[in-house]
Amino acid sequence: MTISDAFTDLTADGEELENLLATLPDQAWDTPTPAEGWTVAHQIAHLAATFKLAGLAAADAERFEALKSRLSPDFQTNVDLAMAPYLALTPAALLARFHEERVAADKALAAVPEGQPVPWLVRPLPATVLAAAGMMELFGHGQDVYDGLGVQRQYTDRVGHVAFFGTRTWDFGYQARGLATPDVAFRFVLTAPSGREWVFGPADAAQTISGPAVDFCLLVTRRRHSDDLQLTAVGKEATEWLTVAQAYRGPAGPGRRPGQFATAAA
């Protein structure tokens, strides 16, 4: 896994989820997922809206900034308004729109000249980082779909981009809870599904998190409780971080309960 693979891997992750969705009968889109009040359709509507926003940011910065200026200060209001048009669609139409928004975003991000930042909701990001953010969204909301349907997910080394994004946004959990961000450096030593080792952060950091990369991704997307994951923390701040980790902006939400899922991902 290298950062240059982000666009190709973003496409592959999207196609994988679409392949699952294409097999579902219409009634399965109403299946509840572990996110309270959200069905499979809600998860895909959210992803479609997110990719639409990312595609606009990459393709037309001026229009994106104009849209951004009209957003409500209330996070949930923005989420609900963005999802509403997609939730009004039939399952087949929603899948088609998800595909359309995803492909447009993939192409727009890949076309951004190297070194040119892409405007985003908090601050501009390199296109590769925004692609990793897209993979984080696909990982988290896709996990809810798999869990809701009772389908075992097969993980690949593409999760490396999600892990990278999770280490880059390690302070988001503190900010979401109004907590002071500790003035420390973290080192993350993660094992890929293939067995490769990925290391992020300074070698001399006293605070370390180690374990399977998939477990780390499940933690920072809050799709599993830390008690159910095979992650090891060394250091006071690292141990506390396991309880607040999240890789996305906005409210933390309730996350998942300890023991809600019988086994951690392998």
Side-chain angles (χ1 to χ4, degrees), residues 7 16 37 47 58 71 86 105 110 121 123 158 203 244 246:
F7 307 120
E16 183 178 83
L47 285 171
L71 293 177
Y86 297 102
L121 299 174
R123 59 179 179 269
R158 294 194 299 270
V244 301
Q246 74 178 68

Side-chain angles (χ1 to χ4, degrees), residues 87-167:
L87 288 173
L89 301 173
T90 65
L94 175 52
L95 179 56
R97 285 293 300 279
F98 171 50
H99 174 80
E100 176 184 321
E101 308 291 18
R102 183 186 63 76
V103 170
D106 290 356
K107 290 181 178 178
L109 287 167
V112 174
E114 186 174 355
Q116 177 179 306
V118 178
W120 196 233
L121 299 174
V122 178
R123 59 179 179 269
L125 296 173
T128 50
V129 175
L130 193 50
M135 294 184 72
M136 182 272 295
E137 294 284 345
L138 278 169
F139 182 92
H141 293 283
Q143 188 66 50
D144 285 339
V145 171
Y146 277 89
D147 289 338
L149 295 172
V151 177
Q152 181 65 42
R153 193 176 198 177
Q154 300 300 313
Y155 302 99
T156 73
D157 279 13
R158 294 194 299 270
V159 301
H161 298 286
V162 183
F164 155 75
F165 192 76
T167 64

Side-chain angles (χ1 to χ4, degrees), residues 3-240:
I3 197 64
S4 62
D5 296 325
F7 307 120
T8 299
D9 287 351
L10 176 62
T11 297
D13 273 5
E15 290 176 345
E16 183 178 83
L17 180 56
E18 283 187 17
N19 288 339
L20 171 65
L21 296 169
T23 68
L24 301 181
D26 283 3
Q27 62 269 26
W29 288 72
D30 293 325
T31 302
T33 67
E36 186 176 352
W38 281 40
T39 64
V40 169
H42 284 84
Q43 300 290 349
I44 303 308
H46 178 78
L47 285 171
T50 300
F51 277 104
K52 180 179 181 179
L53 200 61
L56 180 63
D60 193 331
E62 187 174 333
R63 283 182 58 208
F64 172 81
E65 292 292 359
L67 183 153
K68 179 180 169 182
S69 70
R70 298 192 299 271
L71 293 177
S72 166
D74 183 76
F75 179 84
Q76 192 58 50
T77 295
N78 292 325
V79 171
D80 292 343
L81 288 174
M83 290 170 58
Y86 297 102
L87 288 173
L89 301 173
T90 65
L94 175 52
L95 179 56
R97 285 293 300 279
F98 171 50
H99 174 80
E100 176 184 321
E101 308 291 18
R102 183 186 63 76
V103 170
D106 290 356
K107 290 181 178 178
L109 287 167
V112 174
E114 186 174 355
Q116 177 179 306
V118 178
W120 196 233
L121 299 174
V122 178
R123 59 179 179 269
L125 296 173
T128 50
V129 175
L130 193 50
M135 294 184 72
M136 182 272 295
E137 294 284 345
L138 278 169
F139 182 92
H141 293 283
Q143 188 66 50
D144 285 339
V145 171
Y146 277 89
D147 289 338
L149 295 172
V151 177
Q152 181 65 42
R153 193 176 198 177
Q154 300 300 313
Y155 302 99
T156 73
D157 279 13
R158 294 194 299 270
V159 301
H161 298 286
V162 183
F164 155 75
F165 192 76
T167 64
R168 182 185 174 98
T169 58
W170 70 271
D171 56 340
F172 280 11
Y174 299 104
Q175 297 169 13
R177 295 163 177 80
L179 301 173
T181 301
D183 185 18
V184 296
F186 286 80
R187 182 174 176 82
F188 303 91
V189 182
L190 307 174
T191 304
S194 67
R196 296 174 60 191
E197 184 176 83
W198 295 325
V199 181
F200 306 89
D204 60 351
Q207 308 296 319
T208 64
I209 305 289
S210 60
V214 169
D215 283 23
F216 180 81
C217 295
L218 289 167
L219 177 77
V220 298
T221 55
R222 294 181 58 75
R223 265 53 187 190
R224 294 292 186 273
H225 192 278
S226 59
D227 289 355
D228 297 332
L229 298 172
Q230 300 171 26
L231 296 171
T232 300
V234 175
K236 177 178 179 291
E237 287 81 6
T239 300
E240 293 176 348

